[in-house]
Amino acid sequence: EIYSGTLKASTSGQLGAGLKKLTFADRGTLLFTDDVEFNGGGNDLHSLFLMNASGGIRLESGKTLTIYDNVVPFGSGGVVNIVSNVNLEDTLYFVTPDKDMTDEPRFFFSGNKTVQHNGGVIYNLGSVFEISNAAFRDNHADGTAANGGVLYASGGESNFARSFFEANSAAGSGGYGGNGGAIYLQGKARVNVS
């Protein structure tokens, strides 16, 4: 868990085996000071989990974060799982420095998927998710009733600034699921793409 304060890392190895169930609490921040890649290798190795707290990931100027080939065999959210019991008070963010106001991606999510449930990359249940300068390519929500190849949101608010989506999908079977190749919203969920 990352509590209040900032943990700096310049390589994925500094975090051990990866982001496995990294939990943010009380506005903790993970700051990457160099370009960092996390390769799941088809396993559930790099998951960010947020429950009733706020925090996030920041990049130093010009740096990138890539998370790819992360597969969640059971559960939702191929990379990010946000669950809140306090509506819109919990926030998970992925941000670049203000001086990096560019349209170029800094966060890359590729080949991530859920095998049984929703949200190939992000599962948001009633919280705020914010990301800027992101590229979402070839992510999938697979399973008998899976929705949202990139994002599945039930309540809450999801904000995407200067981001793009390409070749993402949701697959259902037996007449269930398969909705929202990139984004699937349920209930009072809101999404902003700018």
Side-chain angles (χ1 to χ4, degrees):
E1 288 190 11
I2 299 178
Y3 288 94
S4 60
T6 300
L7 173 65
K8 290 185 179 182
S10 60
T11 68
S12 58
Q14 289 176 312
L15 298 174
L19 297 176
K20 182 69 174 172
K21 303 302 182 218
L22 178 61
T23 303
F24 293 92
D26 194 24
R27 308 200 189 307
T29 300
L30 176 57
L31 172 65
F32 287 111
T33 59
D34 207 342
D35 297 332
V36 177
E37 284 191 1
F38 292 99
N39 177 357
N43 297 301
D44 179 15
L45 293 177
H46 310 299
S47 299
L48 305 175
F49 181 74
L50 178 75
M51 178 174 255
N52 300 324
S54 295
I57 292 179
R58 292 186 180 274
L59 299 178
E60 282 196 346
S61 183
K63 302 308 177 189
T64 61
L65 171 63
T66 303
I67 300 176
Y68 62 101
D69 292 341
N70 200 54
V71 177
V72 176
F74 305 102
S76 297
V79 175
V80 178
N81 192 316
I82 317 168
V83 179
S84 176
N85 293 326
V86 184
N87 192 32
L88 297 182
E89 291 190 12
D90 303 333
T91 302
L92 179 64
Y93 55 81
F94 286 70
V95 294
T96 59
D98 289 339
K99 61 185 175 184
D100 276 6
M101 293 301 284
T102 175
D103 289 335
E104 299 214 6
R106 298 283 190 243
F107 296 100
F108 298 88
F109 300 89
S110 175
N112 301 294
K113 71 177 182 177
T114 56
V115 177
Q116 295 293 326
H117 296 287
N118 300 308
V121 178
I122 306 153
Y123 178 80
N124 184 356
L125 185 59
S127 294
V128 176
F129 175 78
E130 298 179 355
I131 192 165
S132 63
N133 300 86
F136 298 94
R137 287 190 181 106
D138 196 33
N139 299 287
H140 309 282
D142 293 336
T144 56
N147 296 299
V150 171
L151 168 70
Y152 175 93
S154 180
E157 181 177 308
S158 301
N159 301 299
F160 299 87
R162 299 177 304 280
S163 298
F164 70 89
F165 306 84
E166 180 179 62
N168 302 287
S169 67
S173 63
Y176 299 99
N179 300 302
I183 297 172
Y184 180 84
L185 305 177
Q186 180 175 315
K188 295 183 179 182
R190 294 180 306 220
V191 67
N192 301 299
V193 179
S194 60

